[in-house]
Amino acid sequence: MPAAPSRRRPWPSRLYAIVDAGAAAAAGWTVPDLADAYLQAGVRVIQVRAKDAPAREVLAWLDRLAASAGDAWVITNDRVDLALVAGTRHVHLGQDDLPVADARALLGPDAVIGLSTHTPAQVEAALQTPIDYVAVGPVYGTATKATGYDPVGTALVADARARIERHPDRAGLPLVAIGGITLDHAPRVIEAGASAVVVISDLLQGGDPGARARDYLHALGEA
């Protein structure tokens, strides 16, 4: 039986914004400025993803966000060490990253830890680890990140939600969906069973990410 997270916390929002360093730069934004635009728009869950940035630079971004995020969650992609040093603590892990149990041991019981999954078998395995949420995808085709997996559609979202609710210890566990999600897609992904939609590129459409984030919050019934 897995060691469940010691503190179940309510999921804060149906919108989960990823600030990808490469996508931000291509749109003319720095990571901290884009994250601040989302926070000011009312986004409550932000992930900082910077696969190729120097650790010192990512740490500076996290330090800045830790000071400005208030009660919003600032989640670091992959880098448990930087989340620990910055004091943001929350992390999102992939299938090839540090095992969840090891991340939990380092970050403690109050950290929010998420795990990416792409197949029903990976969802089942994730439910045996001390995660706070599970991510499924790519739901639709995406050029933002090569996952090595074909788009799964909303069928895997629904399947993952059913697996979660059948699990004796993990019923109600938050489920987020990622990959090619747009403003048009978002409500039906929630209807399929997701607690939140994870969005990267589509939040940058139109040149005003804060306004786009507010459009998502409105479409998802949060504004």
mmCIF file of all heavy atoms in Angstrom, residues 90-143:
data_model
loop_
_atom_site.group_PDB
_atom_site.id
_atom_site.type_symbol
_atom_site.label_atom_id
_atom_site.label_comp_id
_atom_site.label_asym_id
_atom_site.label_seq_id
_atom_site.Cartn_x
_atom_site.Cartn_y
_atom_site.Cartn_z
ATOM 1 N N HIS A 90 7.076 22.770 -4.276
ATOM 2 C CA HIS A 90 6.206 21.991 -5.145
ATOM 3 C C HIS A 90 6.930 21.627 -6.441
ATOM 4 O O HIS A 90 7.625 22.464 -7.038
ATOM 5 C CB HIS A 90 4.933 22.766 -5.462
ATOM 6 C CG HIS A 90 4.244 23.324 -4.254
ATOM 7 N ND1 HIS A 90 4.225 22.675 -3.037
ATOM 8 C CD2 HIS A 90 3.546 24.471 -4.083
ATOM 9 C CE1 HIS A 90 3.530 23.395 -2.170
ATOM 10 N NE2 HIS A 90 3.123 24.490 -2.780
ATOM 11 N N VAL A 91 6.739 20.376 -6.902
ATOM 12 C CA VAL A 91 7.427 19.916 -8.115
ATOM 13 C C VAL A 91 6.501 19.075 -8.975
ATOM 14 O O VAL A 91 5.562 18.445 -8.488
ATOM 15 C CB VAL A 91 8.698 19.089 -7.801
ATOM 16 C CG1 VAL A 91 9.751 19.928 -7.101
ATOM 17 C CG2 VAL A 91 8.372 17.833 -7.013
ATOM 18 N N HIS A 92 6.830 19.068 -10.275
ATOM 19 C CA HIS A 92 6.178 18.152 -11.202
ATOM 20 C C HIS A 92 7.249 17.259 -11.807
ATOM 21 O O HIS A 92 8.260 17.748 -12.321
ATOM 22 C CB HIS A 92 5.437 18.899 -12.309
ATOM 23 C CG HIS A 92 4.697 17.964 -13.199
ATOM 24 N ND1 HIS A 92 3.419 17.523 -12.904
ATOM 25 C CD2 HIS A 92 5.068 17.325 -14.324
ATOM 26 C CE1 HIS A 92 3.043 16.671 -13.837
ATOM 27 N NE2 HIS A 92 4.028 16.527 -14.712
ATOM 28 N N LEU A 93 7.011 15.956 -11.762
ATOM 29 C CA LEU A 93 7.990 14.979 -12.201
ATOM 30 C C LEU A 93 7.497 14.220 -13.424
ATOM 31 O O LEU A 93 6.296 13.995 -13.591
ATOM 32 C CB LEU A 93 8.283 13.984 -11.075
ATOM 33 C CG LEU A 93 8.785 14.589 -9.762
ATOM 34 C CD1 LEU A 93 8.844 13.520 -8.675
ATOM 35 C CD2 LEU A 93 10.152 15.238 -9.953
ATOM 36 N N GLY A 94 8.450 13.819 -14.273
ATOM 37 C CA GLY A 94 8.153 12.969 -15.410
ATOM 38 C C GLY A 94 8.491 11.524 -15.104
ATOM 39 O O GLY A 94 9.034 11.194 -14.037
ATOM 40 N N GLN A 95 8.216 10.669 -16.062
ATOM 41 C CA GLN A 95 8.442 9.241 -15.877
ATOM 42 C C GLN A 95 9.915 8.902 -15.662
ATOM 43 O O GLN A 95 10.233 7.892 -15.024
ATOM 44 C CB GLN A 95 7.897 8.471 -17.080
ATOM 45 C CG GLN A 95 6.377 8.446 -17.153
ATOM 46 C CD GLN A 95 5.754 7.591 -16.059
ATOM 47 O OE1 GLN A 95 6.159 6.449 -15.857
ATOM 48 N NE2 GLN A 95 4.767 8.132 -15.350
ATOM 49 N N ASP A 96 10.816 9.723 -16.163
ATOM 50 C CA ASP A 96 12.248 9.430 -16.050
ATOM 51 C C ASP A 96 12.961 10.300 -15.024
ATOM 52 O O ASP A 96 14.197 10.301 -14.954
ATOM 53 C CB ASP A 96 12.923 9.602 -17.423
ATOM 54 C CG ASP A 96 12.379 8.635 -18.454
ATOM 55 O OD1 ASP A 96 12.078 7.485 -18.084
ATOM 56 O OD2 ASP A 96 12.255 9.027 -19.630
ATOM 57 N N ASP A 97 12.207 11.038 -14.249
ATOM 58 C CA ASP A 97 12.810 11.918 -13.246
ATOM 59 C C ASP A 97 13.012 11.176 -11.920
ATOM 60 O O ASP A 97 12.775 9.972 -11.820
ATOM 61 C CB ASP A 97 11.925 13.153 -13.039
ATOM 62 C CG ASP A 97 11.873 14.039 -14.275
ATOM 63 O OD1 ASP A 97 12.876 14.081 -15.009
ATOM 64 O OD2 ASP A 97 10.821 14.683 -14.509
ATOM 65 N N LEU A 98 13.426 11.924 -10.916
ATOM 66 C CA LEU A 98 13.601 11.358 -9.576
ATOM 67 C C LEU A 98 12.321 10.651 -9.146
ATOM 68 O O LEU A 98 11.224 11.176 -9.329
ATOM 69 C CB LEU A 98 13.922 12.491 -8.598
ATOM 70 C CG LEU A 98 14.308 12.102 -7.167
ATOM 71 C CD1 LEU A 98 15.689 11.463 -7.148
ATOM 72 C CD2 LEU A 98 14.287 13.347 -6.284
ATOM 73 N N PRO A 99 12.420 9.441 -8.592
ATOM 74 C CA PRO A 99 11.208 8.753 -8.133
ATOM 75 C C PRO A 99 10.419 9.593 -7.127
ATOM 76 O O PRO A 99 10.993 10.322 -6.312
ATOM 77 C CB PRO A 99 11.755 7.476 -7.492
ATOM 78 C CG PRO A 99 13.052 7.237 -8.193
ATOM 79 C CD PRO A 99 13.627 8.601 -8.443
ATOM 80 N N VAL A 100 9.111 9.462 -7.197
ATOM 81 C CA VAL A 100 8.241 10.262 -6.344
ATOM 82 C C VAL A 100 8.561 10.066 -4.867
ATOM 83 O O VAL A 100 8.594 11.031 -4.091
ATOM 84 C CB VAL A 100 6.762 9.931 -6.626
ATOM 85 C CG1 VAL A 100 5.850 10.628 -5.615
ATOM 86 C CG2 VAL A 100 6.378 10.340 -8.042
ATOM 87 N N ALA A 101 8.790 8.843 -4.454
ATOM 88 C CA ALA A 101 9.065 8.581 -3.035
ATOM 89 C C ALA A 101 10.317 9.313 -2.564
ATOM 90 O O ALA A 101 10.366 9.827 -1.440
ATOM 91 C CB ALA A 101 9.200 7.080 -2.791
ATOM 92 N N ASP A 102 11.328 9.371 -3.426
ATOM 93 C CA ASP A 102 12.554 10.090 -3.060
ATOM 94 C C ASP A 102 12.309 11.589 -3.001
ATOM 95 O O ASP A 102 12.826 12.290 -2.119
ATOM 96 C CB ASP A 102 13.666 9.772 -4.055
ATOM 97 C CG ASP A 102 14.116 8.321 -3.988
ATOM 98 O OD1 ASP A 102 14.014 7.719 -2.895
ATOM 99 O OD2 ASP A 102 14.552 7.780 -5.018
ATOM 100 N N ALA A 103 11.515 12.107 -3.963
ATOM 101 C CA ALA A 103 11.180 13.530 -3.928
ATOM 102 C C ALA A 103 10.407 13.871 -2.664
ATOM 103 O O ALA A 103 10.649 14.898 -2.014
ATOM 104 C CB ALA A 103 10.365 13.903 -5.164
ATOM 105 N N ARG A 104 9.473 12.996 -2.283
ATOM 106 C CA ARG A 104 8.691 13.226 -1.064
ATOM 107 C C ARG A 104 9.598 13.239 0.162
ATOM 108 O O ARG A 104 9.432 14.078 1.065
ATOM 109 C CB ARG A 104 7.615 12.146 -0.926
ATOM 110 C CG ARG A 104 6.791 12.220 0.334
ATOM 111 C CD ARG A 104 5.927 13.449 0.403
ATOM 112 N NE ARG A 104 4.886 13.444 -0.612
ATOM 113 C CZ ARG A 104 4.211 14.520 -0.983
ATOM 114 N NH1 ARG A 104 4.478 15.697 -0.426
ATOM 115 N NH2 ARG A 104 3.278 14.454 -1.923
ATOM 116 N N ALA A 105 10.566 12.333 0.206
ATOM 117 C CA ALA A 105 11.473 12.280 1.354
ATOM 118 C C ALA A 105 12.284 13.569 1.473
ATOM 119 O O ALA A 105 12.556 14.041 2.583
ATOM 120 C CB ALA A 105 12.406 11.073 1.214
ATOM 121 N N LEU A 106 12.654 14.143 0.332
ATOM 122 C CA LEU A 106 13.443 15.373 0.345
ATOM 123 C C LEU A 106 12.599 16.605 0.648
ATOM 124 O O LEU A 106 13.031 17.499 1.379
ATOM 125 C CB LEU A 106 14.138 15.561 -1.008
ATOM 126 C CG LEU A 106 15.282 14.602 -1.317
ATOM 127 C CD1 LEU A 106 15.669 14.704 -2.792
ATOM 128 C CD2 LEU A 106 16.487 14.898 -0.432
ATOM 129 N N LEU A 107 11.390 16.669 0.093
ATOM 130 C CA LEU A 107 10.590 17.884 0.150
ATOM 131 C C LEU A 107 9.635 17.929 1.336
ATOM 132 O O LEU A 107 9.179 19.003 1.721
ATOM 133 C CB LEU A 107 9.796 18.041 -1.148
ATOM 134 C CG LEU A 107 10.639 18.266 -2.402
ATOM 135 C CD1 LEU A 107 9.778 18.166 -3.646
ATOM 136 C CD2 LEU A 107 11.356 19.603 -2.345
ATOM 137 N N GLY A 108 9.319 16.773 1.899
ATOM 138 C CA GLY A 108 8.468 16.747 3.075
ATOM 139 C C GLY A 108 6.993 16.611 2.759
ATOM 140 O O GLY A 108 6.567 16.648 1.603
ATOM 141 N N PRO A 109 6.183 16.470 3.791
ATOM 142 C CA PRO A 109 4.758 16.143 3.619
ATOM 143 C C PRO A 109 3.909 17.278 3.068
ATOM 144 O O PRO A 109 2.812 17.036 2.562
ATOM 145 C CB PRO A 109 4.312 15.771 5.033
ATOM 146 C CG PRO A 109 5.259 16.508 5.929
ATOM 147 C CD PRO A 109 6.571 16.483 5.215
ATOM 148 N N ASP A 110 4.376 18.514 3.160
ATOM 149 C CA ASP A 110 3.563 19.644 2.714
ATOM 150 C C ASP A 110 3.811 20.022 1.264
ATOM 151 O O ASP A 110 3.126 20.898 0.728
ATOM 152 C CB ASP A 110 3.807 20.862 3.602
ATOM 153 C CG ASP A 110 3.261 20.664 5.009
ATOM 154 O OD1 ASP A 110 2.255 19.943 5.146
ATOM 155 O OD2 ASP A 110 3.833 21.217 5.955
ATOM 156 N N ALA A 111 4.783 19.397 0.611
ATOM 157 C CA ALA A 111 5.050 19.683 -0.794
ATOM 158 C C ALA A 111 3.929 19.127 -1.668
ATOM 159 O O ALA A 111 3.361 18.080 -1.374
ATOM 160 C CB ALA A 111 6.378 19.074 -1.207
ATOM 161 N N VAL A 112 3.632 19.826 -2.749
ATOM 162 C CA VAL A 112 2.731 19.318 -3.778
ATOM 163 C C VAL A 112 3.587 18.650 -4.846
ATOM 164 O O VAL A 112 4.478 19.283 -5.421
ATOM 165 C CB VAL A 112 1.891 20.445 -4.400
ATOM 166 C CG1 VAL A 112 1.078 19.931 -5.593
ATOM 167 C CG2 VAL A 112 0.978 21.072 -3.359
ATOM 168 N N ILE A 113 3.337 17.376 -5.096
ATOM 169 C CA ILE A 113 4.113 16.619 -6.079
ATOM 170 C C ILE A 113 3.163 16.018 -7.096
ATOM 171 O O ILE A 113 2.208 15.329 -6.747
ATOM 172 C CB ILE A 113 4.938 15.498 -5.407
ATOM 173 C CG1 ILE A 113 5.928 16.091 -4.399
ATOM 174 C CG2 ILE A 113 5.682 14.678 -6.462
ATOM 175 C CD1 ILE A 113 6.728 15.047 -3.630
ATOM 176 N N GLY A 114 3.435 16.303 -8.374
ATOM 177 C CA GLY A 114 2.651 15.743 -9.463
ATOM 178 C C GLY A 114 3.502 14.856 -10.339
ATOM 179 O O GLY A 114 4.734 14.968 -10.363
ATOM 180 N N LEU A 115 2.855 13.972 -11.090
ATOM 181 C CA LEU A 115 3.567 13.014 -11.942
ATOM 182 C C LEU A 115 2.871 12.912 -13.293
ATOM 183 O O LEU A 115 1.651 12.752 -13.362
ATOM 184 C CB LEU A 115 3.607 11.638 -11.274
ATOM 185 C CG LEU A 115 4.327 10.525 -12.040
ATOM 186 C CD1 LEU A 115 5.825 10.822 -12.154
ATOM 187 C CD2 LEU A 115 4.104 9.177 -11.362
ATOM 188 N N SER A 116 3.670 12.985 -14.363
ATOM 189 C CA SER A 116 3.137 12.813 -15.714
ATOM 190 C C SER A 116 2.897 11.341 -16.015
ATOM 191 O O SER A 116 3.721 10.484 -15.687
ATOM 192 C CB SER A 116 4.128 13.367 -16.743
ATOM 193 O OG SER A 116 4.211 14.765 -16.674
ATOM 194 N N THR A 117 1.773 11.067 -16.678
ATOM 195 C CA THR A 117 1.473 9.714 -17.149
ATOM 196 C C THR A 117 0.915 9.810 -18.567
ATOM 197 O O THR A 117 0.353 10.844 -18.963
ATOM 198 C CB THR A 117 0.438 9.006 -16.250
ATOM 199 O OG1 THR A 117 -0.809 9.709 -16.332
ATOM 200 C CG2 THR A 117 0.904 8.961 -14.810
ATOM 201 N N HIS A 118 1.067 8.713 -19.312
ATOM 202 C CA HIS A 118 0.669 8.722 -20.715
ATOM 203 C C HIS A 118 -0.128 7.483 -21.108
ATOM 204 O O HIS A 118 -0.605 7.405 -22.245
ATOM 205 C CB HIS A 118 1.911 8.827 -21.600
ATOM 206 C CG HIS A 118 2.871 9.886 -21.151
ATOM 207 N ND1 HIS A 118 2.640 11.225 -21.364
ATOM 208 C CD2 HIS A 118 4.047 9.813 -20.475
ATOM 209 C CE1 HIS A 118 3.644 11.934 -20.853
ATOM 210 N NE2 HIS A 118 4.503 11.094 -20.299
ATOM 211 N N THR A 119 -0.251 6.526 -20.217
ATOM 212 C CA THR A 119 -0.946 5.272 -20.504
ATOM 213 C C THR A 119 -1.722 4.837 -19.263
ATOM 214 O O THR A 119 -1.404 5.258 -18.140
ATOM 215 C CB THR A 119 0.049 4.153 -20.864
ATOM 216 O OG1 THR A 119 0.812 3.818 -19.688
ATOM 217 C CG2 THR A 119 0.993 4.567 -21.987
ATOM 218 N N PRO A 120 -2.712 3.961 -19.430
ATOM 219 C CA PRO A 120 -3.420 3.442 -18.253
ATOM 220 C C PRO A 120 -2.489 2.762 -17.255
ATOM 221 O O PRO A 120 -2.665 2.902 -16.037
ATOM 222 C CB PRO A 120 -4.424 2.457 -18.856
ATOM 223 C CG PRO A 120 -4.699 2.993 -20.225
ATOM 224 C CD PRO A 120 -3.381 3.533 -20.695
ATOM 225 N N ALA A 121 -1.494 2.032 -17.752
ATOM 226 C CA ALA A 121 -0.563 1.351 -16.840
ATOM 227 C C ALA A 121 0.222 2.364 -16.011
ATOM 228 O O ALA A 121 0.473 2.146 -14.815
ATOM 229 C CB ALA A 121 0.384 0.459 -17.640
ATOM 230 N N GLN A 122 0.615 3.469 -16.628
ATOM 231 C CA GLN A 122 1.348 4.491 -15.873
ATOM 232 C C GLN A 122 0.450 5.177 -14.850
ATOM 233 O O GLN A 122 0.905 5.534 -13.756
ATOM 234 C CB GLN A 122 1.950 5.512 -16.832
ATOM 235 C CG GLN A 122 3.106 4.973 -17.648
ATOM 236 C CD GLN A 122 3.667 5.981 -18.630
ATOM 237 O OE1 GLN A 122 3.163 7.097 -18.768
ATOM 238 N NE2 GLN A 122 4.725 5.595 -19.332
ATOM 239 N N VAL A 123 -0.824 5.358 -15.184
ATOM 240 C CA VAL A 123 -1.763 5.914 -14.207
ATOM 241 C C VAL A 123 -1.877 4.988 -13.003
ATOM 242 O O VAL A 123 -1.804 5.433 -11.850
ATOM 243 C CB VAL A 123 -3.147 6.150 -14.843
ATOM 244 C CG1 VAL A 123 -4.167 6.550 -13.776
ATOM 245 C CG2 VAL A 123 -3.072 7.221 -15.929
ATOM 246 N N GLU A 124 -2.034 3.698 -13.258
ATOM 247 C CA GLU A 124 -2.133 2.727 -12.161
ATOM 248 C C GLU A 124 -0.887 2.754 -11.289
ATOM 249 O O GLU A 124 -0.971 2.718 -10.052
ATOM 250 C CB GLU A 124 -2.352 1.325 -12.720
ATOM 251 C CG GLU A 124 -3.746 1.084 -13.278
ATOM 252 C CD GLU A 124 -4.802 0.944 -12.184
ATOM 253 O OE1 GLU A 124 -4.447 0.930 -10.995
ATOM 254 O OE2 GLU A 124 -5.987 0.867 -12.541
ATOM 255 N N ALA A 125 0.286 2.816 -11.922
ATOM 256 C CA ALA A 125 1.529 2.854 -11.154
ATOM 257 C C ALA A 125 1.628 4.142 -10.341
ATOM 258 O O ALA A 125 2.089 4.130 -9.190
ATOM 259 C CB ALA A 125 2.725 2.720 -12.094
ATOM 260 N N ALA A 126 1.177 5.242 -10.902
ATOM 261 C CA ALA A 126 1.235 6.520 -10.196
ATOM 262 C C ALA A 126 0.407 6.498 -8.920
ATOM 263 O O ALA A 126 0.789 7.111 -7.908
ATOM 264 C CB ALA A 126 0.750 7.642 -11.114
ATOM 265 N N LEU A 127 -0.700 5.780 -8.950
ATOM 266 C CA LEU A 127 -1.578 5.731 -7.788
ATOM 267 C C LEU A 127 -0.964 4.972 -6.621
ATOM 268 O O LEU A 127 -1.474 5.029 -5.495
ATOM 269 C CB LEU A 127 -2.925 5.109 -8.173
ATOM 270 C CG LEU A 127 -3.742 5.902 -9.196
ATOM 271 C CD1 LEU A 127 -5.040 5.175 -9.517
ATOM 272 C CD2 LEU A 127 -4.027 7.315 -8.699
ATOM 273 N N GLN A 128 0.134 4.278 -6.880
ATOM 274 C CA GLN A 128 0.846 3.571 -5.820
ATOM 275 C C GLN A 128 1.957 4.423 -5.213
ATOM 276 O O GLN A 128 2.719 3.950 -4.366
ATOM 277 C CB GLN A 128 1.449 2.266 -6.363
ATOM 278 C CG GLN A 128 0.439 1.353 -7.036
ATOM 279 C CD GLN A 128 -0.736 1.029 -6.139
ATOM 280 O OE1 GLN A 128 -0.547 0.669 -4.978
ATOM 281 N NE2 GLN A 128 -1.943 1.151 -6.673
ATOM 282 N N THR A 129 2.077 5.670 -5.627
ATOM 283 C CA THR A 129 3.129 6.555 -5.126
ATOM 284 C C THR A 129 2.510 7.705 -4.332
ATOM 285 O O THR A 129 1.324 8.006 -4.500
ATOM 286 C CB THR A 129 3.950 7.130 -6.294
ATOM 287 O OG1 THR A 129 3.140 8.053 -7.044
ATOM 288 C CG2 THR A 129 4.466 6.030 -7.210
ATOM 289 N N PRO A 130 3.291 8.374 -3.505
ATOM 290 C CA PRO A 130 2.750 9.463 -2.675
ATOM 291 C C PRO A 130 2.639 10.784 -3.419
ATOM 292 O O PRO A 130 3.234 11.796 -3.046
ATOM 293 C CB PRO A 130 3.736 9.534 -1.509
ATOM 294 C CG PRO A 130 5.031 9.089 -2.089
ATOM 295 C CD PRO A 130 4.679 8.021 -3.097
ATOM 296 N N ILE A 131 1.870 10.797 -4.513
ATOM 297 C CA ILE A 131 1.662 12.017 -5.279
ATOM 298 C C ILE A 131 0.447 12.778 -4.763
ATOM 299 O O ILE A 131 -0.422 12.219 -4.103
ATOM 300 C CB ILE A 131 1.478 11.722 -6.784
ATOM 301 C CG1 ILE A 131 0.371 10.688 -7.021
ATOM 302 C CG2 ILE A 131 2.775 11.325 -7.431
ATOM 303 C CD1 ILE A 131 -0.013 10.524 -8.468
ATOM 304 N N ASP A 132 0.404 14.062 -5.129
ATOM 305 C CA ASP A 132 -0.739 14.909 -4.808
ATOM 306 C C ASP A 132 -1.648 15.108 -6.008
ATOM 307 O O ASP A 132 -2.799 15.520 -5.844
ATOM 308 C CB ASP A 132 -0.262 16.269 -4.308
ATOM 309 C CG ASP A 132 0.483 16.152 -2.998
ATOM 310 O OD1 ASP A 132 -0.175 16.033 -1.961
ATOM 311 O OD2 ASP A 132 1.728 16.149 -3.021
ATOM 312 N N TYR A 133 -1.123 14.881 -7.203
ATOM 313 C CA TYR A 133 -1.964 14.914 -8.401
ATOM 314 C C TYR A 133 -1.288 14.108 -9.488
ATOM 315 O O TYR A 133 -0.074 13.903 -9.478
ATOM 316 C CB TYR A 133 -2.244 16.348 -8.870
ATOM 317 C CG TYR A 133 -1.076 17.085 -9.483
ATOM 318 C CD1 TYR A 133 -0.831 17.043 -10.858
ATOM 319 C CD2 TYR A 133 -0.218 17.855 -8.697
ATOM 320 C CE1 TYR A 133 0.227 17.736 -11.420
ATOM 321 C CE2 TYR A 133 0.837 18.551 -9.242
ATOM 322 C CZ TYR A 133 1.066 18.485 -10.614
ATOM 323 O OH TYR A 133 2.125 19.175 -11.176
ATOM 324 N N VAL A 134 -2.110 13.637 -10.437
ATOM 325 C CA VAL A 134 -1.598 12.912 -11.582
ATOM 326 C C VAL A 134 -1.945 13.700 -12.839
ATOM 327 O O VAL A 134 -3.032 14.292 -12.935
ATOM 328 C CB VAL A 134 -2.166 11.469 -11.640
ATOM 329 C CG1 VAL A 134 -3.668 11.468 -11.749
ATOM 330 C CG2 VAL A 134 -1.545 10.684 -12.775
ATOM 331 N N ALA A 135 -1.008 13.761 -13.776
ATOM 332 C CA ALA A 135 -1.224 14.428 -15.060
ATOM 333 C C ALA A 135 -1.310 13.379 -16.162
ATOM 334 O O ALA A 135 -0.548 12.406 -16.158
ATOM 335 C CB ALA A 135 -0.091 15.400 -15.356
ATOM 336 N N VAL A 136 -2.230 13.568 -17.113
ATOM 337 C CA VAL A 136 -2.348 12.669 -18.252
ATOM 338 C C VAL A 136 -2.238 13.470 -19.545
ATOM 339 O O VAL A 136 -2.688 14.604 -19.626
ATOM 340 C CB VAL A 136 -3.670 11.865 -18.248
ATOM 341 C CG1 VAL A 136 -3.726 10.926 -17.072
ATOM 342 C CG2 VAL A 136 -4.880 12.795 -18.255
ATOM 343 N N GLY A 137 -1.632 12.849 -20.559
ATOM 344 C CA GLY A 137 -1.516 13.504 -21.852
ATOM 345 C C GLY A 137 -0.441 12.848 -22.697
ATOM 346 O O GLY A 137 0.163 11.857 -22.279
ATOM 347 N N PRO A 138 -0.213 13.391 -23.888
ATOM 348 C CA PRO A 138 -0.868 14.578 -24.437
ATOM 349 C C PRO A 138 -2.298 14.273 -24.873
ATOM 350 O O PRO A 138 -2.549 13.268 -25.541
ATOM 351 C CB PRO A 138 -0.001 14.943 -25.638
ATOM 352 C CG PRO A 138 0.606 13.628 -26.076
ATOM 353 C CD PRO A 138 0.812 12.838 -24.812
ATOM 354 N N VAL A 139 -3.225 15.148 -24.482
ATOM 355 C CA VAL A 139 -4.623 14.947 -24.856
ATOM 356 C C VAL A 139 -4.797 15.170 -26.356
ATOM 357 O O VAL A 139 -5.416 14.372 -27.053
ATOM 358 C CB VAL A 139 -5.534 15.883 -24.039
ATOM 359 C CG1 VAL A 139 -6.989 15.692 -24.444
ATOM 360 C CG2 VAL A 139 -5.363 15.626 -22.552
ATOM 361 N N TYR A 140 -4.226 16.267 -26.839
ATOM 362 C CA TYR A 140 -4.259 16.579 -28.264
ATOM 363 C C TYR A 140 -2.816 16.735 -28.753
ATOM 364 O O TYR A 140 -1.872 16.768 -27.959
ATOM 365 C CB TYR A 140 -5.047 17.868 -28.512
ATOM 366 C CG TYR A 140 -6.456 17.824 -27.968
ATOM 367 C CD1 TYR A 140 -6.818 18.549 -26.827
ATOM 368 C CD2 TYR A 140 -7.442 17.063 -28.591
ATOM 369 C CE1 TYR A 140 -8.114 18.509 -26.327
ATOM 370 C CE2 TYR A 140 -8.741 17.011 -28.098
ATOM 371 C CZ TYR A 140 -9.064 17.734 -26.959
ATOM 372 O OH TYR A 140 -10.336 17.672 -26.463
ATOM 373 N N GLY A 141 -2.647 16.863 -30.055
ATOM 374 C CA GLY A 141 -1.309 17.040 -30.602
ATOM 375 C C GLY A 141 -0.691 18.345 -30.131
ATOM 376 O O GLY A 141 -1.369 19.363 -29.996
ATOM 377 N N THR A 142 0.599 18.313 -29.823
ATOM 378 C CA THR A 142 1.292 19.502 -29.337
ATOM 379 C C THR A 142 2.706 19.553 -29.884
ATOM 380 O O THR A 142 3.362 18.518 -30.030
ATOM 381 C CB THR A 142 1.338 19.531 -27.799
ATOM 382 O OG1 THR A 142 2.108 20.652 -27.362
ATOM 383 C CG2 THR A 142 1.945 18.256 -27.228
ATOM 384 N N ALA A 143 3.151 20.769 -30.167
ATOM 385 C CA ALA A 143 4.528 20.971 -30.621
ATOM 386 C C ALA A 143 5.404 21.530 -29.516
ATOM 387 O O ALA A 143 6.604 21.721 -29.701
ATOM 388 C CB ALA A 143 4.542 21.925 -31.824
#
